[in-house]
Structures are given as structure tokens and as C-alpha cells.
Amino acid sequence: MKKRFYYPMVVVFLSPAFFNTAFADYSKEFDQCIDTWGSSTQSVVRCMNEELQTRDELLNKAYKQYMARIQDFRKEDLRNTQRLWIKYTDAKCGMLYHSESGSGGLEDSSDCMIQETTLRTKELNEGW
């Protein structure tokens, strides 16, 4: 069976319009990073890692603020919940990348981490 390569799909994926909408909810710093380093997979992952670091800092801040405002007897529950969230997120997003999946899986995994971190931050900021 002959494998077909669908060039129109590649053109759509690599077009600037797709790239701009795929990362629409990322920060302006992410856009600046892409402008600086380019849109190769390696550059995108580098910029995504920087975005994740920023989002992780916001998560840590939200966690500390939430921890400070809850009752003492609930603090251990929050710690346990956060540890479980980390395990879940690592497993969920880690599943998207495998050494055999190619570099696209790395972008998917990074995007998953960013999205999950953003959602968790929102949960903590809203106080559930």
C-alpha cells in the first residue's frame, strides 16, 4: 500500500494563520519569543517552556494565596489535592509525547501542560 502525503494539510498547519490561532491564548511574551527564535519545532518548544514557567509561577502564587485563606484543617487536603493534580497532569500530558511520536508530540505535551496549569490556576483563584 502506497502512503500518501497530503501537502494541503501541511500548508494549512504551517501557515501563519494557523500558527496565530493555535497559540491565541498564550502571552505576548510567547509571541515575542517566537518572533525572536522563529517557528521551528525546537524554537516553539523553547518558547512554550518559557510560557509554562510563567504560568507555573502564577499557579504557585494562586496556590499560596488559596492556602493562606482556607481553614487550617483543610490545608492538608489542599496539599494532597495539589499533589494528585500534579501526578494527573504529568500522566495526561506525558502521554502525548513518546520518543517514537516525533517532535509534534512534544509540542502537544507542552501545550497540554500550559492549558492544564492555566485551568488549575483559575480554579485556585476562584476558590473552587
Side-chain angles (χ1 to χ4, degrees), residues 47-89:
C47 296
M48 290 175 99
N49 286 339
E50 290 178 15
E51 182 78 7
L52 179 58
Q53 182 177 350
T54 300
R55 303 281 176 117
D56 197 46
E57 289 168 4
L58 293 172
L59 173 62
N60 289 333
K61 180 180 175 184
Y63 174 81
K64 288 175 185 174
Q65 289 174 345
Y66 192 75
M67 184 65 85
R69 69 179 185 259
I70 62 173
Q71 299 152 322
D72 287 340
F73 67 91
R74 296 189 188 276
K75 292 183 186 217
E76 188 60 30
D77 292 336
L78 179 59
R79 275 188 211 94
N80 291 334
T81 302
Q82 193 66 13
R83 289 178 185 135
L84 289 170
W85 175 84
I86 291 168
K87 287 180 181 181
Y88 165 77
T89 302

Side-chain angles (χ1 to χ4, degrees), residues 38-53:
S39 59
S40 70
T41 299
Q42 184 178 4
S43 297
V44 171
V45 170
R46 174 190 182 136
C47 296
M48 290 175 99
N49 286 339
E50 290 178 15
E51 182 78 7
L52 179 58
Q53 182 177 350

Side-chain angles (χ1 to χ4, degrees), residues 18-35:
F18 175 82
F19 193 79
N20 289 337
T21 58
F23 304 109
D25 58 341
Y26 285 24
S27 68
K28 65 180 182 205
E29 289 80 13
F30 176 81
D31 293 337
Q32 292 167 348
C33 182
I34 293 297
D35 289 343

